[in-house]
Amino acid sequence: MTIITVPEQNVDVALPKAFDGVPSPLHPANVDYEAAGGNAAMKQVSDVLAWGWDEANAINDLRPNMDPEHRSATHDRLIRERVDASQRVWADKMDRARATLKAEQARVDRQLEEAAGLKSNPAHFDAITSAFFSMKPGQRAETLAQLVEQGENAALATLMEAPLFLSGLLAEQRDSIKTRVLEKVNPEGLNLSRQLAKAFAKLEDASFASLTMFADLKAGTEPGAAATRARMAAARNMAANAGQR
């Protein structure tokens, strides 16, 4: 029986890469700010993702490329410290991007509300709901389309506020009124509002994906990991050499 003895002197064993590629939610192209007219808030989000993408790639490439003047334990510590520092910067950038997006979303939505002018006239409530309730379904749909086209937004606001059993509208018809009005009065603003909402969702996707990403970048760098890595490598080498005899 061959007895394998692991040398007491640890050798330096480089870290492997954490992954083959940075998680796709961090790609800056996920937020197409140019399609939204170069919106500054969305560009900030894209820039934050670009920073995270580049930093993660840099750390991932650095893991297996140890400075020849360093021992593996030192290299591990430097990687660990860089990951911690990068994660703090990333969290700050993400918080700022969230705040900017929320403020921009609120600004755009206020403009849309003003453009829509959906303010009802209580004096006309009974007349409008009664008229719609007495219509046949097809006539309701046709009249609703006419009101949108004619810009009768006060009447439309009444139909939005009225219970369905009073207006006779379907829930889908009532819920579509605001969007149909906005598409008519400010289609660019509505598109921007939608793009901002998508950008926020992409930002949250990136935030969630980054938790695992930073953990992977830091994996194997904890104190003592370098010595364990060296012992395992030595044992593998000894076993391979013994098998060749």
Side-chain angles (χ1 to χ4, degrees):
M1 180 178 67
T2 302
I3 299 175
I4 299 174
T5 303
V6 179
E8 293 293 333
Q9 177 62 38
N10 289 335
V11 296
D12 290 313
V13 180
L15 287 163
K17 281 194 171 186
F19 36 67
D20 293 330
V22 177
S24 60
L26 273 77
H27 199 287
N30 287 325
V31 177
D32 188 1
Y33 63 90
E34 292 182 352
N39 181 267
M42 289 180 61
K43 184 178 187 304
Q44 180 177 342
V45 175
S46 182
D47 289 346
V48 170
L49 296 185
W51 183 90
W53 180 270
D54 292 343
E55 183 67 4
N57 270 314
I59 297 174
N60 198 35
D61 289 341
L62 184 61
R63 279 174 58 96
N65 292 303
M66 183 169 58
D67 188 320
E69 296 184 0
H70 290 163
R71 298 300 303 271
S72 53
T74 300
H75 180 70
D76 287 4
R77 176 178 57 78
L78 293 174
I79 293 294
R80 184 170 67 248
E81 291 174 350
R82 177 158 176 180
V83 172
D84 288 342
S86 296
Q87 197 163 10
R88 287 192 295 271
V89 173
W90 168 258
D92 181 65
K93 287 179 177 290
M94 291 288 281
D95 286 344
R96 291 174 184 272
R98 283 191 187 93
T100 300
L101 266 186
K102 287 180 179 179
E104 179 68 354
Q105 184 80 66
R107 181 190 70 81
V108 171
D109 289 348
R110 280 196 302 272
Q111 289 185 340
L112 288 172
E113 291 287 345
E114 293 172 0
L118 288 167
K119 296 181 180 179
S120 62
N121 185 340
H124 298 162
F125 183 89
D126 290 341
I128 293 171
T129 54
S130 296
F132 262 78
F133 187 82
S134 65
M135 295 178 186
K136 294 181 179 181
Q139 188 180 7
R140 289 193 195 103
E142 182 180 346
T143 303
L144 198 60
Q146 291 174 349
L147 292 175
V148 172
E149 182 61 30
Q150 295 166 3
E152 295 290 346
N153 293 352
L156 291 167
T158 297
L159 294 171
M160 289 173 60
E161 297 170 2
L164 295 176
F165 74 90
L166 290 180
S167 67
L169 290 175
L170 299 174
E172 301 81 48
Q173 290 176 312
R174 179 197 60 193
D175 296 343
S176 72
I177 290 174
K178 184 174 182 178
T179 298
R180 293 166 70 177
V181 169
L182 292 176
E183 286 174 341
K184 181 176 184 295
V185 300
N186 191 353
E188 295 83 5
L190 180 59
N191 177 64
L192 178 56
S193 179
R194 289 168 172 167
Q195 292 295 327
L196 288 168
K198 288 181 181 178
F200 194 87
K202 294 294 185 182
L203 190 67
E204 293 306 299
D205 288 345
S207 178
F208 183 77
S210 72
L211 297 176
T212 301
M213 180 193 74
F214 281 116
D216 289 344
L217 287 170
K218 195 174 178 180
T221 68
E222 60 275 7
T228 300
R229 214 160 52 239
R231 287 194 296 270
M232 292 177 65
R236 285 194 298 270
N237 290 335
M238 292 289 290
N241 291 334
Q244 294 175 0
R245 294 172 185 171

